[in-house]
Amino acid sequence: MPVDAVPEKLLNWYDAHHRRLPWRAGPGEPRAAPYRVWLSEVMLQQTTVAAVKSYYAHFTTRWPTVADLAAADEAEVMAAWAGLGYYARARNLIACARAVVNDHGGAFPDSEAGLRTLPGIGDYSAAAIAAIAFGRRAVVVDANVERVTSRLFAFDGPLPVGRPAIRELADRITPDERAGDFAQAMMDLGSSICTVRNPQCLICPLHGDCAARAAGNPEAYPVKAPKKAKPQRRGTAFWIERDGHVWLVRRPAKGMLGGMRALPTGPWTDADPGLAEAPAKADWVEAGSVDHVFTHFALRLRVVTTRKPAPLNEGEWWPIARIEEAGLPTLFARAAARAIAAAQD
DNA sequence: AAGGCGTGGGT
DNA sequence: TACCCAAGCCT
């Protein structure tokens, strides 16, 4: 099926129907600032537009330039990221801002290769920023592009092995001009029309060009390798209270929820660890448990509380009335809510 | 290079 | 309900 007309059709559709998003250039503005494009792309990695919006607004208000972010207090940035997930992104965000200021004179590299060297910027983000912020011709491949492209060509090589081949197909339809708009058009199309389930082929601008549509099985693409089962793990969180304050720790920089404030916990294992590795000697009171699902395992976190702890180290007393300002990841925000609710029973 | 790494919305 | 999945990156 010939695809020569695909770029023009898609760009025409984009001109008429594209989403208005805070990080996109407004009318009369040719391109958004590289800092804003970069910030939005990092936030959008594996994350929905709806979830990103309020975080993007806060970050751009609190840190309007890359220099502001480079000079920011790390703990404040991590707390501002709390709830968005994939916290390595926040650590890399700070490292990247500092690299731009220290190694690139405060300006983002304007090429895909230059961007690719920065922390937290991989193949996708480098291509997206080069195309959207700098007008470069780059082949931008995210999950939307993989879905649209695999359907367009009825490409049935299973992911992730088939990924390089899909990139070749995407390269074939990427125009020399307006590659940034083309990429965003593919993503808008993927999010609104060429969806994972129930694609709206009847209103798709590429209806007549799509091999999967012609075959009547668009939902069959992309083909994916089977996924593994999620193990169930168990752990215990310790809510230690004194004079209206709770004891919080900071998790190690690497690993789950790395660098984030948290309630103390013991190890997360396949059996209930109980009170093993409690941070203090105390008479623990049950406060219930929280079930939380991560990318590669599910966790049942038992919450226990005390108001009379033995001495503690390496942590801080945080006012319970302002617990939402601690920047707890969602797991611990839920555990905290459980402890507070239990105290009122 | 396969697996670690969050969360919330949709079906 | 239980599952799927999202504008991926890093090691």
Side-chain angles (χ1 to χ4, degrees):
Chain A
M1 192 166 299
V3 293
D4 296 355
V6 162
E8 185 182 349
K9 284 183 185 175
L10 193 61
L11 285 168
N12 287 339
W13 174 82
Y14 184 73
D15 289 338
H17 300 292
H18 69 84
R19 290 179 290 182
R20 295 283 182 187
L21 297 171
W23 43 87
R24 286 184 177 169
E29 238 176 62
R31 286 179 206 132
Y35 170 65
R36 292 179 165 246
V37 174
W38 163 72
L39 180 62
S40 70
E41 289 301 339
V42 174
M43 287 184 166
L44 287 161
Q45 288 165 6
Q46 297 285 285
T47 308
T48 57
V49 166
V52 163
K53 281 184 175 171
S54 65
Y55 287 84
Y56 178 82
H58 177 67
F59 269 71
T60 51
T61 300
R62 181 68 185 85
W63 300 289
T65 70
V66 67
D68 295 322
L69 189 57
D73 173 61
E74 290 194 36
E76 188 186 351
V77 176
M78 297 305 289
W81 197 276
L84 200 53
Y86 284 135
Y87 298 99
R89 292 185 296 171
R91 303 194 295 271
N92 285 330
L93 196 78
I94 298 168
C96 182
R98 292 180 178 171
V100 167
V101 168
N102 296 330
D103 306 336
H104 298 274
F108 280 86
D110 64 358
S111 72
E112 196 174 349
L115 290 160
R116 185 65 181 80
T117 68
L118 292 167
I121 300 183
D123 290 339
Y124 161 77
S125 297
I129 298 167
I132 296 168
F134 295 111
R136 301 284 194 141
R137 199 255 179 200
V139 182
V140 182
V141 185
D142 76 323
N144 289 298
V145 175
E146 286 179 349
R147 186 169 60 256
V148 173
T149 303
S150 63
R151 287 174 179 173
L152 202 52
F153 292 92
F155 173 80
D156 59 4
L159 297 178
V161 177
R163 194 154 280 147
I166 292 182
R167 188 191 183 283
E168 290 301 313
L169 296 173
D171 194 347
R172 202 185 296 179
I173 57 174
T174 299
D176 291 334
E177 304 294 326
R178 298 188 67 189
D181 284 347
F182 179 80
Q184 295 180 90
M186 290 285 276
M187 294 189 267
D188 279 13
L189 189 76
S191 73
S192 63
I193 292 177
C194 195
T195 48
V196 177
R197 283 175 293 275
N198 300 317
Q200 305 299 301
C201 299
L202 290 180
I203 58 170
C204 179
L206 306 183
H207 176 105
D209 306 276
C210 183
R213 162 64 188 166
N217 64 342
E219 285 189 79
Y221 302 90
V223 178
K224 294 190 178 181
K227 55 194 48 153
K228 304 187 172 178
K230 245 171 226 197
Q232 171 76 231
R233 294 184 188 164
R234 293 169 185 276
T236 307
F238 301 92
W239 176 269
I240 303 166
E241 187 173 335
R242 195 180 70 187
D243 301 331
H245 290 63
V246 61
W247 184 253
L248 299 182
V249 299
R250 190 169 294 280
R251 293 179 62 83
K254 298 192 174 186
M256 285 296 296
L257 312 174
M260 301 299 288
R261 274 203 190 93
L263 296 177
T265 76
W268 300 348
T269 58
D270 55 356
D272 185 351
L275 303 178
E277 304 197 21
K281 193 86 174 164
D283 290 324
W284 299 104
V285 177
E286 298 293 337
S289 65
V290 167
D291 285 298
H292 198 75
V293 180
F294 295 109
T295 304
H296 57 294
F297 64 93
L299 178 69
R300 173 159 293 177
L301 189 65
R302 174 182 169 198
V303 182
V304 298
T305 70
T306 183
R307 290 170 182 268
K308 297 186 182 305
L312 295 150
N313 51 17
E314 294 199 40
E316 58 187 324
W317 290 108
W318 192 273
I320 295 171
R322 299 171 55 194
I323 190 67
E324 64 287 338
E325 297 170 36
L328 295 177
T330 300
L331 168 68
F332 291 110
R334 294 182 60 205
R338 185 89 284 284
I340 291 169
Q344 293 170 346
D345 290 344

